[in-house]
Amino acid sequence: LAVVVLVGPRCEAASKSVKEALEPFAKSTVAGGARGVIAPPDPAGDAGWLLASLSDLRVGDDGRVAGVVARVAGPDTDSVYRILRRALEPLGRELGAPPFAERGLA
C-alpha cells in the first residue's frame, strides 16, 4: 500500500505522469476491479491487479488544483514499486536521482 502526495510547481510533471499511469487502475477500481484481488499472483511476477484512487489536491479560496494525492494497493510491494517508479519518473529530474534509487530499484 502506498500513498503519494505531490504538491507544487516542481511536481507538476510528476503529478501529470501519476494521473496518466494510475487513471486506468483507478477507473477499474471504481468499476468493480477489486474482484481480482482474491486471485493468486502470477508466478511470472505480473501482479494482475492493482487498486488505485486519485484525488486532486485543491488549495485556496478559489479551489485551484495544486497537486494530487494517489493511493495504490497491490498484491506485493514490488508491484506497487513498479507502477510508482514509472509514474514518478519525471520527479527524478527534481530529486537528482530516480525515485526509489536507494533501494536498488532505479
Side-chain angles (χ1 to χ4, degrees), residues 43-59:
D46 182 18
W49 65 270
L50 285 173
L51 301 177
S53 70
L54 295 165
S55 302
D56 286 333
L57 189 57
R58 298 183 179 276
V59 297

Side-chain angles (χ1 to χ4, degrees), residues 12 14 72 106:
E12 280 183 33
V72 185

Side-chain angles (χ1 to χ4, degrees), residues 15-41:
S15 293
K16 181 180 177 185
S17 178
V18 163
K19 287 180 180 181
E20 289 172 358
L22 295 180
E23 194 165 31
F25 296 105
K27 286 181 179 179
S28 173
T29 299
V30 171
R35 290 184 303 248
V37 170
I38 59 171

Side-chain angles (χ1 to χ4, degrees), residues 6-104:
L6 298 167
V7 181
R10 294 178 67 186
C11 293
E12 280 183 33
S15 293
K16 181 180 177 185
S17 178
V18 163
K19 287 180 180 181
E20 289 172 358
L22 295 180
E23 194 165 31
F25 296 105
K27 286 181 179 179
S28 173
T29 299
V30 171
R35 290 184 303 248
V37 170
I38 59 171
D42 181 356
D46 182 18
W49 65 270
L50 285 173
L51 301 177
S53 70
L54 295 165
S55 302
D56 286 333
L57 189 57
R58 298 183 179 276
V59 297
D61 293 335
D62 60 354
R64 68 179 172 81
V65 175
V68 66
V69 177
R71 298 161 216 75
V72 185
D76 55 53
T77 307
D78 289 339
S79 300
V80 175
Y81 273 137
R82 192 176 306 119
I83 190 73
L84 289 180
R85 274 196 317 274
R86 189 177 84 217
L88 295 173
E89 188 176 339
L91 200 54
R93 291 185 288 279
E94 295 295 332
L95 297 174
F100 310 115
E102 78 282 0
R103 299 184 184 278

